[in-house]
Amino acid sequence: MHADVKEILYSEEQIAARVKEMGARLTEQFRPMVERGERIVMLCVLRGAAIFMADLARAVELPIEMDYMAVSSYGNAAKSSGVVSIQKDLSSDIIDKHVIIAEDILDSGLTLKFLIENLEARKAASVSVVTLLRKDVPGQAKIDCLDIGFVCPNEFIVGYGLDYAERYRNLPYIGILKPDIYS
Ligand code: IMP
Ligand code: MG
């Protein structure tokens, strides 16, 4: 275990098993749309969800497109600023496509709230959310998720894509960062 990690919450094996289940569920849910000739695009919220989406996409047994957006609400601080801006937009249009947002962690919910509204305004056929983690925090915006990988404690989480100040993304497990690292 990395010296800056206080506790491992989900091992590499646990994550792999859960992501496979999430992919199977998406396959079931979106198969009718594909059979009707409709298009699915899985949207990665950069950078935290990149590793999650890479695994999730390979667990979905349907033709899906993949696209990427970068939004910022955090900077390097450990608390949400509430201000969301688009740093990198979609590469293809999403009109009439079913968009599945793959997010790393739902914390205040402000990022997802912004994204859902933004994508719906661009006339997507539907916008759904799958998040690897949902942090158990008071006052979280109500976001309807198709699926949630794990509900995690209200601590600073790193690994499997999640960073603190751009570090720890490549840890293969998900863990709690020691508070003295960010305080
Ligand atoms: P929200 O807008 O507060 O829901 O925050 C969402 C974004 O903040 C996520 O996409 C993450 O990139 C980042 N974030 C929130 N909590 C954590 C955490 O515990 N570790 C790492 N990143 C986090
Ligand atoms: Mg982040």
Side-chain angles (χ1 to χ4, degrees):
M1 184 167 84
H2 194 292
D4 297 350
V5 172
K6 186 171 88 176
E7 182 191 331
I8 295 181
L9 289 174
Y10 314 107
S11 69
E12 199 172 346
E13 293 73 25
Q14 281 174 302
I15 299 166
R18 185 70 190 101
V19 171
K20 277 225 152 50
E21 285 174 3
M22 295 173 84
R25 195 153 162 202
L26 289 176
T27 305
E28 216 175 279
Q29 295 206 359
F30 285 88
R31 196 187 299 284
M33 287 75 152
V34 171
E35 284 172 355
R36 288 200 297 266
E38 296 164 5
R39 290 163 75 175
I40 316 288
V41 53
M42 195 176 273
L43 172 59
C44 174
V45 188
L46 292 171
R47 285 167 268 179
I51 293 177
F52 171 50
M53 184 164 108
D55 286 340
L56 183 65
R58 285 177 288 181
V60 174
E61 294 174 22
L62 297 171
I64 54 167
E65 297 169 36
M66 290 161 75
D67 209 337
Y68 303 84
M69 267 179 92
V71 295
S72 79
S73 63
Y74 257 57
N76 284 342
K79 244 186 107 48
S80 181
S81 65
V83 179
V84 182
S85 67
I86 296 179
Q87 296 185 318
K88 183 221 169 289
D89 208 349
L90 298 164
S91 299
S92 307
D93 76 66
I94 50 163
I95 299 173
D96 294 336
K97 294 178 189 171
H98 296 281
V99 180
I100 304 169
I101 303 174
E103 173 63 307
D104 56 353
I105 187 165
L106 168 56
D107 183 11
S108 69
L110 294 172
T111 304
L112 280 170
K113 192 171 177 300
F114 166 84
L115 267 178
I116 292 166
E117 283 166 12
N118 183 281
L119 297 166
E120 280 175 349
R122 300 194 220 188
K123 310 258 186 303
S126 66
V127 178
S128 349
V129 174
V130 289
T131 185
L132 175 64
L133 298 163
R134 184 174 75 76
K135 214 187 264 193
D136 193 11
V137 293
Q140 188 171 67
K142 209 197 153 315
I143 304 291
D144 246 326
C145 296
L146 260 191
D147 209 352
I148 296 167
F150 305 96
V151 177
C152 68
N154 188 9
E155 309 231 31
F156 205 88
I157 310 296
V158 293
Y160 194 70
L162 289 102
D163 73 306
Y164 173 67
E166 298 309 324
R167 294 185 63 198
Y168 316 108
R169 290 196 198 275
N170 62 330
L171 295 178
Y173 50 82
I174 294 169
I176 299 175
L177 187 65
K178 286 182 180 166
D180 54 290
I181 305 295
Y182 58 85
S183 54

